[in-house]
Amino acid sequence: MEQLLNQIKKGKVWPFPGGIHPPGQKTLSSTQPITRLPLPDKLVVPLKQHIGANGQLIVEKGQRVLKGQALTQPIANWSVPVHAPTSGVIEDICHAPSAHPSALPELSVIIIPDGEDTWCELHVASDPSKLSHEQLIDIIHQSGIAGMGGAGFPTYIKADSRKAIEYLVVNAVECEPYITADDLLMQEHAQGIINGIEVMQQLLTPTLTIVGIEDNKPDAIAAMKKAAQHADNIIVQTVPTIYPSGGEKQLIKLLTNKEVPSGGIPADIGVLVQNVGTLFAINQAVYEGKPLIERVITVTGNTIHKPGNVWALLGTEIKHLLDCQGFSPVPQQRVVMGGPMMGFTLPTVRIGVVKTTNCILAPDHNELAEPGPEKACIRCSACADACPASLLPQQLQWFAKSQEYDKLKEHNLFDCIECGACAYVCPSEIPLVQYYRVAKAEIKEKQEEQIKAERAKVRFELRNARLEREQEARKNRHKRKPATEKSADEKQKIADALARVSNKPAKDDEKSAVAAAIARAKAKKQGDQLEPDNSEVAKERAARKEQARLYKEQKAADTNEATHSDAPVDDKKSAVAAAIARAKAKKAAQADASTTTGDAPVDDKKAAVAAAIARAKAKKAAQADASTTTEDAPVDDKKAAVAAAIARAKAKKAAQAEQLAASKNNNTEETTVENTPADDKKAAVAAAIAHAKAKKAAQAEQLAASEKVNTEEATIENTPVDDKKAAIAAAIARAKAKKAAQAEQLAASEKVNTEEETVENTPVDDKKAAIAAAIARAKAKKAAKEQADEANPQTETSETSATFEQNIEAQAPVKEKPELTAQEKKKAAVAAAIARAKAKKLLKEGSDKS
């Protein structure tokens, strides 16, 4: 630190990379002193003349203003006011072309001077050294001072730096050709500049203040050294003439050997830079109370007859400056605001002077030739060698043309100071700086849009959150609010209320009293004594009635069979008689089994033998009946139908008996046992067992599988049979015969013994008998349907069979259908005969196996 400070005090400078040496052309304007222009006819004062936000307008159209009166007031950060350059009347407040290459219109105040040039009241500090830091900052702020070296950065922001400043650098280099405004200002107002430096030293307290001046300004160097000889910590340093040594970062490198990091500011390394014009404006604001309303401007060029430097009021039109200095335009005349390197051509001379305007250049065609057409880059690297920021101008130009903004940022586009050195040395005459300016503007615009989008997103999210809160509040509006802490008085009131409630009769007691009253009323209505509950007796009585009804139905069926046996014998009745004979044979076998069971104790082996004998007798009788019916009787339609129906009935009856015996819930057996006296219970049980075995044997012999036989037999015997029904019955009979043959082979004597013991030892229960009967009927219906489907899969036949079986089960007479033709009757008779022959054959095979 001390070594660097000693080197600086000894006058050592450090070079920066790049740089060029264009012709200075400064002698055109530096030989004459600064002059003051007459008041213009009109002043166009833009509201924005600096980096930052506009101030708020505090005047209106038609209002008279005084010289130095504020036209705006700052309302945001980086906002400084503008003041009236002279006294006069505000003619208009409108948009006017701005001092920018695009000349975009900006809000401006149009003032018509009154010629009196009357000042407003000024506040002058008697001793600035006694003012506080805040007071000095406020004076600089309200005076509207901004950087006058070209950037227009608000000075009060720099003066109020929160970072420690080690070196205060005064930029008096003025390296760009033609411009001599700072040179003449230092020559004529060196003491005022030193006073401004002292004010900044009071604010920043730097270790050292360095005034850098190019060695091509000897008069300015001498004047500044003379003014600073009695000042503390101020040294005037001479630097070599090279462009752009006046750049902020380049000057810091020259004077302090420090480099500002990419994307950083000088304050980051403890350095602050101020222009000499800005320091003189601070001097006027603090010591004289004058705001920034005028500045020194160089008006030069071969088309100007009196080139030199002038004091120009802010807002003065460029045309007025040119006319006052003797402007003689040439065809296709160019007027440049700024120097030939960093300036820009004005689209019109009706633009007002602003705080950053330091030069108006009006060259002829020989002095500043028009650039030629852009050619292809030859990759000579001259632009990279001349760049003072160590950038790659050629690469940046490619990225700018292709609008690759991310890559431009990666290659540090914003470190470019737009000095124009790259374009100056380019042999292909590529306007590199123009590409960079456009790219910077587009990137900034994109960033602003992104910031706006983010702000809009935040507003949208906040709005959604607010709407959700409002919706939740509406939902909870009618809900009970959470209980809050109650005061002592409220707690006491609640306790008293609870005590009163506890003294009242209990609610349960009231309910019990009401119930007792209702009970007493009911008792009074029904009488003194209630009737006894006879529900159980009524159930037993109903059961006995049901048993008696079943017994009567069985007896009526037996009587009906006997009646049919005594009827005259004809074609139809002969088949009925055969059926009755088979039934009597079954009863005989049942009687034999009953006698055997009643006289001797029930033995498993004897019972099995008796059952086998009964089955044999039943088979023989059935075979004889079937043979007689088939062989002796002539085959006609009605007889064939009756015979087939009787065969089906017997098979179904046998299957029903087998199913009921196997499930221990045979309806017929239980009815018989229930109606048997208690003394003969064992005999009745034995008879029922024998009867079940006989039925099982008959089922195997007749090859039947349906379980709804009793009803079908009764219905067929009492109902005329037509040919179509006979054909259907024959098909069903064939299926049942096939299934019965399989059942015969699977029968076992051990199962029969078990069934005998179960029936004998199981008490008879009315409810169980009824349930068992229902189960048996359901199983019989399902088996009959399956057998019918197997025998004849046609839809019409299956539906007719199902309907026919339902009619049999319901004990309802079947309505006669229209008689068939002779050919159809003949076909039905043949089918029935074939069915009977097959049944006979199967019965014989079953008998041989037994």
Side-chain angles (χ1 to χ4, degrees), residues 381-458:
S381 75
C383 57
D385 296 338
C387 180
S390 300
L391 300 177
L392 299 173
Q394 176 192 7
Q395 196 76 22
L396 293 174
Q397 187 247 352
W398 290 342
F399 293 148
K401 289 180 70 174
S402 60
Q403 297 183 347
E404 298 181 57
Y405 300 133
D406 294 336
K407 291 185 178 180
L408 286 172
K409 292 180 182 179
E410 292 175 3
H411 286 73
N412 303 319
L413 172 66
F414 285 91
D415 286 345
C416 174
I417 61 174
E418 301 179 15
C419 65
C422 54
Y424 182 81
V425 299
C426 180
S428 298
E429 299 188 20
I430 301 174
L432 296 170
V433 178
Q434 304 302 323
Y435 283 110
Y436 305 153
R437 286 175 178 171
V438 173
K440 285 182 179 180
E442 290 177 351
I443 291 173
K444 290 179 179 179
E445 183 179 359
K446 187 176 180 181
Q447 290 176 346
E448 290 176 357
E449 290 178 357
Q450 185 176 0
I451 292 173
K452 290 180 180 179
E454 291 176 355
R455 290 176 179 173
K457 181 180 179 182
V458 171

Side-chain angles (χ1 to χ4, degrees), residues 231-277:
D232 297 334
N233 298 326
I234 298 177
I235 62 173
V236 178
Q237 182 66 48
T238 303
V239 299
T241 301
I242 185 173
Y243 181 83
S245 59
E248 187 177 56
K249 295 180 180 181
Q250 287 69 35
L251 184 60
I252 292 172
K253 176 65 177 177
L254 279 170
L255 298 177
T256 65
N257 196 30
K258 289 187 175 185
E259 293 185 3
V260 180
S262 176
I265 59 176
D268 296 336
I269 58 174
V271 180
L272 190 143
V273 181
Q274 287 290 0
N275 183 266
V276 290

Side-chain angles (χ1 to χ4, degrees), residues 185-229:
L185 183 64
M186 287 186 289
Q187 291 180 30
E188 297 182 12
H189 301 280
Q191 188 58 49
I193 295 172
I194 295 299
N195 292 339
I197 292 173
E198 290 177 347
V199 173
M200 291 298 294
Q201 285 179 329
Q202 183 179 345
L203 292 170
L204 301 173
T205 64
T207 303
L208 183 66
T209 299
I210 309 170
V211 180
I213 307 175
E214 270 189 330
D215 55 10
N216 61 352
K217 302 177 181 61
D219 297 336
I221 294 172
M224 290 298 295
K225 284 183 176 180
K226 182 179 179 180
Q229 62 184 353

